[in-house]
């Protein structure tokens, strides 16, 4: 008896069809603007693009491909009547973008600007509270953080960091706690930490060996490297000295770190002026600039020392193995001549120092002017960046989709 076989059904895919995982891989390698446009193709594409996994994949590809730019805050103190913007520059410091700070923030007295994975953190101190915003200029979205107004505490500094082990972001606000004893001029530090995933603040203890006496930090002294935020602080002793205050964003622990022994390089009676911390090629670095002279200086040693140094010279130390004090090493010596003053405001990912120099006029009767340069520490070659305004801070920036799945979209 013969059996009739049913014709085999062959399912054929359209020639122009690609598996969804391949489509997502292609999308993850595209610029942010292109990805945003493709959200309109279908609900499936839109829902896939806004997932945390896709957002993280897109960011990591940008970071691995070294698609980094630099955000330069060229603003003078913020004034509500003057448009405020941040400029974006490529590796050669060609101006590639301008990001106007949205009027929705209603900022009038912003104290800090920092960036991490495409998010910009803006902090504004008001009389009774501190307002903080996370803003992604690439996707035109922002998030206002809940109010954090510690009673009887004076705001000092805001640090912004990425918590790698949980793919989360944290804002750390350091403030002064008034002295317990009346007329005591030493005050302790306190800290509050905001976590993006929980959208909430919590108080964090600071079990420190020393009491730090600090003035309000400038944001460019808040350095994020090796999973921790770092500040320079003065230790309260009869002879105050400086140490590093660090905050590990993965375990929410503060600790103190000693600076390198700079004095071994100087004659007796001369002290290096600790200037700033920075990130040098992925490692924590410390800069001294200039010297403090005391009455008991040895004149012969001092004169011999200054023959090869200038009042605006210093050392750059790098911590080779993070957390190991013995790994501090002096990698560079820099000296600036014919300048009135020098200020560092950043460091590129390639290790070039960003410097603001106040120089003497070329002609008699001319006014002192500012020159902004990048300094190659290996060759000591300077490049005039041609900035028309004196920048406040420089921070690396990468376009990302962070906050795409939440936060508020800007109108207009």
């Amino acid at each position: 008896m013969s059996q009739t076989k049913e014709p085999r059904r062959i399912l054929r895919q359209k020639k122009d069809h690609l598996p969804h995982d391949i489509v997502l891989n292609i999308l993850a390698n595209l610029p942010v603007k292109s990805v945003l446009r493709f959200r309109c193709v279908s609900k499936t594409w839109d829902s896939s693009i806004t997932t945390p996994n896709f957002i993280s994949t897109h960011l990591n590809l940008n970071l691995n491909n070294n698609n980094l730019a630099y955000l330069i805050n060229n603003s003078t103190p913020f004034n509500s009547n003057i448009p405020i913007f941040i400029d974006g520059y490529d590796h050669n410091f060609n101006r590639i973008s301008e990001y106007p700070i949205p009027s929705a923030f209603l900022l009038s007295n912003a104290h800090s600007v920092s960036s991490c994975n495409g998010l910009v953190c803006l902090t504004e101190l008001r009389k009774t509270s501190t307002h903080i915003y996370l803003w992604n200029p690439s996707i035109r979205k922002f998030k206002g953080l809940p109010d954090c107004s510690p009673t009887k505490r004076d705001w000092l500094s805001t640090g912004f960091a990425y918590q790698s082990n949980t793919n989360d972001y944290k804002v750390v606000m350091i403030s002064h706690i008034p002295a317990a004893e009346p007329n005591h001029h030493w005050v302790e530090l306190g800290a509050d930490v905001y976590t993006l995933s929980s959208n909430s603040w919590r108080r964090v203890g600071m079990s420190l060996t020393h009491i730090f006496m600090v003035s309000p930090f400038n944001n460019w002294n808040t350095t994020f490297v090796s999973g921790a935020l770092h500040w320079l602080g003065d230790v309260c002793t009869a002879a105050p000295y400086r140490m590093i205050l660090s905050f590990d964003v993965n375990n929410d622990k503060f600790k103190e770190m000693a600076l390198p022994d700079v004095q071994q390089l100087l004659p007796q009676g001369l002290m290096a002026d600790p200037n700033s911390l920075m990130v040098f090629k992925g490692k924590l670095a410390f800069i001294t600039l200039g010297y403090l002279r005391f009455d008991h200086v040895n004149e012969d040693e001092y004169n011999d020392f200054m023959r090869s140094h200038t009042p605006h010279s210093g050392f750059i130390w790098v911590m080779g193995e993070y957390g190991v004090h013995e790994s501090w090493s002096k990698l560079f010596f820099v000296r600036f001549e014919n300048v009135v003053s020098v200020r560092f405001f950043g460091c590129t990912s390639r290790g070039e120092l960003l410097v603001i120099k106040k120089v003497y006029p070329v002609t008699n009767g001319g006014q002192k002017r500012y020159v902004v340069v990048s300094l190659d520490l290996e060759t000591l070659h300077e490049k005039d960046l041609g900035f028309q305004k004196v920048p406040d801070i420089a921070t690396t920036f990468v376009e990302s989709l962070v906050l795409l799945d939440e936060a508020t979209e800007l109108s207009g």
Side-chain angles (χ1 to χ4, degrees):
M1 180 176 178
S2 62
Q3 295 180 347
T4 303
K5 294 183 179 179
E6 295 183 1
R8 181 178 299 172
R9 294 180 180 179
I10 300 176
L11 300 178
R12 295 182 178 178
Q13 294 180 331
K14 295 180 180 180
K15 291 183 180 180
D16 59 350
H17 176 81
L18 288 175
H20 190 57
D21 57 340
I22 295 180
V23 171
L24 290 182
N25 184 56
I26 295 173
L27 293 175
N29 283 275
L30 296 178
V32 166
K33 289 184 178 180
S34 299
V35 175
L36 295 180
R37 286 198 295 266
F38 281 120
R39 292 179 65 189
C40 302
V41 171
S42 68
K43 291 183 178 180
T44 301
W45 282 29
D46 179 60
S47 61
S48 297
I49 288 171
T50 55
T51 61
N53 183 61
F54 181 86
I55 292 172
S56 295
T57 300
H58 183 272
L59 171 63
N60 290 330
L61 286 172
N62 266 346
L63 292 172
N64 292 335
N65 292 332
N66 200 28
N67 293 331
L68 294 175
Y70 302 99
L71 285 186
I72 309 294
N73 179 17
N74 284 323
S75 64
T76 53
F78 287 172
N79 184 311
S80 58
N81 297 320
I82 301 175
I84 307 166
F85 59 89
I86 300 174
D87 282 331
Y89 294 85
D90 62 15
H91 279 297
N92 295 317
F93 283 93
N94 300 307
R95 190 166 180 265
I96 58 176
S97 57
E98 178 181 298
Y99 300 105
I101 295 179
S103 59
F105 294 170
L106 299 177
L107 292 173
S108 60
N109 190 21
H111 280 254
S112 65
V113 178
S114 58
S115 175
C116 183
N117 290 349
L119 290 185
V120 178
C121 181
L122 301 176
T123 305
E124 181 191 20
L125 179 64
R126 299 183 184 178
K127 290 183 179 180
T128 58
S129 61
T130 300
H131 292 256
I132 302 175
Y133 300 90
L134 298 182
W135 169 43
N136 187 331
S138 302
I139 61 174
R140 292 181 51 79
K141 282 198 171 187
F142 76 96
K143 183 179 182 65
L145 273 57
D147 186 28
C148 179
S149 305
T151 58
K152 297 181 179 180
R153 298 174 73 177
D154 297 323
W155 174 87
L156 290 175
S157 179
T158 302
F160 179 48
Y162 174 66
Q163 185 178 359
S164 59
N165 61 0
T166 59
N167 190 29
D168 209 346
Y169 295 85
K170 289 184 175 180
V171 176
V172 182
M173 189 166 74
I174 293 183
S175 53
H176 268 152
I177 301 175
E181 300 178 12
N183 301 322
H184 202 299
H185 67 283
W186 288 353
V187 290
E188 295 185 2
L189 297 180
D192 295 87
V193 177
Y194 167 85
T195 304
L196 180 59
S197 60
S198 65
N199 192 34
S200 62
W201 291 91
R202 64 187 183 89
R203 186 69 51 83
V204 174
M206 301 178 71
S207 301
L208 303 176
T209 304
H210 303 89
I211 296 178
F212 280 79
M213 181 175 62
V214 295
S215 58
F217 294 109
N218 290 320
N219 189 69
W220 47 271
N221 269 343
T222 306
T223 305
F224 179 60
V225 63
S226 299
L229 288 163
H230 305 81
W231 296 265
L232 281 176
D234 292 314
V235 176
C236 297
T237 61
Y241 60 96
R242 284 198 160 179
M243 290 186 71
I244 299 174
L245 176 66
S246 71
F247 175 79
D248 190 320
V249 298
N250 289 312
N251 60 24
D252 287 355
K253 299 294 185 183
F254 282 92
K255 69 176 182 179
E256 301 142 287
M257 300 172 65
L259 292 168
D261 185 10
V262 180
Q263 288 305 118
Q264 62 178 316
L265 304 175
L266 306 178
Q268 183 179 357
L270 200 65
M271 178 180 294
D273 188 7
N275 189 267
S276 63
L277 299 173
M278 69 177 185
V279 181
F280 178 78
K281 295 185 178 180
K283 296 182 181 296
L284 180 64
F286 169 64
I287 298 178
T288 65
L289 180 65
Y291 311 97
L292 303 175
R293 175 176 170 169
F294 300 96
D295 292 337
H296 58 276
V297 65
N298 184 298
E299 289 294 336
D300 292 336
E301 291 183 3
Y302 173 78
N303 292 331
D304 183 60
F305 178 84
M306 294 306 295
R307 288 189 184 96
S308 57
H309 297 70
T310 67
H312 300 289
S313 64
F315 304 99
I316 299 176
W317 299 72
V318 176
M319 180 176 275
E321 184 178 351
Y322 182 76
V324 179
H325 179 265
E326 292 75 17
S327 68
W328 280 114
S329 60
K330 180 181 71 68
L331 293 189
F332 304 102
F333 168 73
V334 295
R335 54 183 290 171
F336 299 93
E337 298 179 341
N338 302 318
V339 296
V340 180
S341 64
V342 174
R343 180 170 76 81
F344 304 126
F345 70 101
C347 185
T348 72
S349 58
R350 295 180 295 189
E352 297 160 326
L353 205 57
L354 302 177
V355 185
I356 303 171
K357 301 194 302 180
K358 189 175 183 180
V359 300
Y360 291 99
V362 178
T363 59
N364 292 332
Q367 293 184 347
K368 299 180 180 67
R369 64 186 183 92
Y370 290 93
V371 179
V372 182
V373 303
S374 64
L375 174 65
D376 187 320
L377 294 172
E378 301 282 354
T379 64
L380 297 182
H381 173 72
E382 291 185 6
K383 176 185 177 181
D384 189 338
L385 301 181
F387 288 177
Q388 300 302 311
K389 296 182 180 179
V390 178
D392 298 323
I393 168 181
T395 179
T396 55
F397 179 76
V398 59
E399 286 195 342
S400 79
L401 299 168
V402 180
L403 288 189
L404 183 62
D405 54 340
E406 55 181 309
T408 303
E409 189 164 2
L410 294 163
S411 60

